[in-house]
Amino acid sequence: MIEPQPSSLVSEYVRTYGRFESRPQLVNPLEAFAGMEQRLRQLRLKEWIGFTLIHPELYSSLVIQDAHYLASSEIYTFDRRRGELYEHASNARGGSPTLPPELFGSECVYTRPGYELVYAFGAERGTHRISLDIAASRRAPAMHGELSLDGGGGRRRFRLARGCPAGRCTRTSGSIRRGARSGWVTPSSCSIRRGTLRSSTSTGRFSLPNSLAVGTFAHIGLDGPVGANFISRAGGAADPEESCIWTRHAAEPLDDVSFAPQSAGPLSPWRMWSADGRLDVVFEPDGRKDVRHQLLLAAIDYFQLFGRYTGTLRSAERTHTLRGVHGVCECMLARL
């Protein structure tokens, strides 16, 4: 059951659980605790805002994240014609990025010498903007970009609020997650209204109707944008998830999603399917990005694969056949 949008995730120390029509206006998980417990919980709070950008000639993914003991940002671009992958990454003091509890009408900024990434969010169904200015490194050319995202389109959305105070969506004692890059602070899908992402080797000019910013995967179908966001979490199989199929008309919950790599190889294909058969896809990676940090008691072991989805996706209106649809698949193991 999809509930009306709450004004805040936590009110008078009580967390609200369930599926909602839209993201709570205020996402404040730490306010369920007080005093020393709140300060300790803050060390386990993991927040991020990320986008995957889809273009006929260029793939890109970018994220700002704060684990409070360490903050970081990464961006990669993959030139589909040349088969070239370029990556930039930066680390900062935990708590230094501004990840706002009230997303819409706010900014998220990550800035370090030679590395700046800014998200500026408008109204919930309005226009959002991404700007980046990253200097060249020994491994990758400089990157610059200005993108305008259309968050409208009349789609009804939901978010699921369940679990540990990490901006995520299920009850779990650990932080092991396979699937999409969504969460409380990331709109699931936006059309890219216009913009340019440039490096010294290539330029992607984004414009409707051939460009998207997505969670797991999406493409322009017969009825407009269609895609899916799905996850599987250790210890959380009994709880509903943030997984969903989304179209221009609705966001339909998906539960009990399974992930199965076909081998132990780093670029092995993966099969993902839901118990009810509405999702059944195979993901074939084109590349992989790894992030590992070991900080005494805390650790992060993360990878993201980018590549192509093939299979079927069944929404309430029709069955969608997917052939080589670009998207991502990722796994996060965190310890604290």
Side-chain angles (χ1 to χ4, degrees):
M1 180 178 179
I2 299 179
E3 303 288 345
Q5 176 195 32
S7 59
S8 63
L9 182 64
V10 176
S11 178
E12 297 182 350
Y13 298 101
V14 177
R15 172 82 72 90
T16 302
Y17 295 103
R19 285 189 169 101
F20 308 123
E21 290 182 344
S22 187
R23 178 186 189 275
Q25 296 175 10
L26 177 64
V27 177
N28 53 343
L30 290 176
E31 293 187 17
F33 311 95
M36 181 59 70
E37 185 177 9
Q38 185 182 80
R39 290 192 287 273
L40 292 174
R41 293 273 182 167
Q42 185 172 11
L43 292 175
R44 297 198 65 200
L45 181 66
K46 298 170 181 65
E47 304 172 280
W48 65 91
I49 304 178
F51 293 91
T52 290
L53 309 177
I54 298 175
H55 182 271
E57 299 175 356
L58 189 72
Y59 302 153
S60 183
S61 187
L62 55 158
V63 66
I64 298 171
Q65 49 200 354
D66 188 4
H68 290 269
Y69 52 84
L70 178 70
S72 62
S73 178
E74 291 92 32
I75 180 172
Y76 73 75
T77 61
F78 181 71
D79 190 313
R80 300 174 66 180
R81 292 176 301 174
R82 296 186 176 97
E84 296 174 347
L85 172 66
Y86 296 110
E87 303 176 56
H88 288 280
S90 174
N91 294 328
R93 175 180 51 83
S96 57
T98 54
L99 276 76
E102 296 185 69
L103 181 67
F104 300 108
S106 67
E107 279 194 346
C108 177
V109 179
Y110 182 98
T111 181
R112 297 284 290 166
Y115 192 112
E116 183 176 79
L117 178 58
V118 179
Y119 306 142
F121 293 96
E124 181 172 2
R125 298 183 183 275
T127 299
H128 317 301
R129 291 180 171 81
I130 300 172
S131 63
L132 59 105
D133 188 3
I134 300 174
S137 70
R138 289 178 296 177
R139 298 190 305 165
M143 295 182 186
H144 311 281
E146 296 283 345
L147 296 170
S148 176
L149 311 182
D150 180 7
R155 292 185 303 279
R156 188 182 182 194
R157 308 176 196 165
F158 75 90
R159 294 290 182 272
L160 175 64
R162 276 195 178 274
C164 62
R168 299 184 184 178
C169 302
T170 55
R171 299 180 189 273
T172 176
S173 59
S175 298
I176 303 175
R177 184 177 191 274
R178 292 193 181 97
R181 169 190 301 285
S182 79
W184 282 106
V185 292
T186 309
S188 284
S189 172
C190 300
S191 297
I192 302 180
R193 182 173 291 165
R194 61 183 178 273
T196 304
L197 185 63
R198 302 183 304 276
S199 72
S200 61
T201 61
S202 61
T203 298
R205 299 190 183 280
F206 295 82
S207 61
L208 288 172
N210 65 349
S211 304
L212 290 173
V214 306
T216 308
F217 70 79
H219 76 131
I220 306 296
L222 296 175
D223 304 321
V226 60
N229 179 81
F230 43 91
I231 76 165
S232 174
R233 191 190 313 278
D239 284 328
E241 284 285 7
E242 67 206 69
S243 306
C244 70
I245 297 171
W246 48 262
T247 67
R248 187 173 293 278
H249 308 291
E252 305 167 24
L254 271 176
D255 291 331
D256 197 11
V257 177
S258 299
F259 289 68
Q262 295 183 6
S263 75
L267 291 177
S268 169
W270 289 60
R271 182 183 172 220
M272 297 88 155
W273 70 98
S274 61
D276 61 8
R278 292 191 300 134
L279 171 75
D280 192 351
V281 295
V282 172
F283 177 72
E284 298 181 78
D286 289 323
R288 175 180 175 123
K289 176 176 174 22
D290 292 271
V291 177
R292 293 185 178 90
H293 297 292
Q294 178 68 49
L295 301 170
L296 299 177
L297 298 178
I300 294 174
D301 187 353
Y302 164 85
F303 69 81
Q304 183 187 89
L305 302 167
F306 59 91
R308 292 154 288 120
Y309 281 91
T310 299
T312 57
L313 192 63
R314 193 170 76 245
S315 66
E317 293 83 16
R318 60 190 296 267
T319 296
H320 306 269
T321 300
L322 311 173
R323 296 186 180 91
V325 173
H326 177 69
V328 298
C329 175
E330 62 185 18
C331 179
M332 165 75 83
L333 292 89
R335 184 187 75 237
L336 179 58

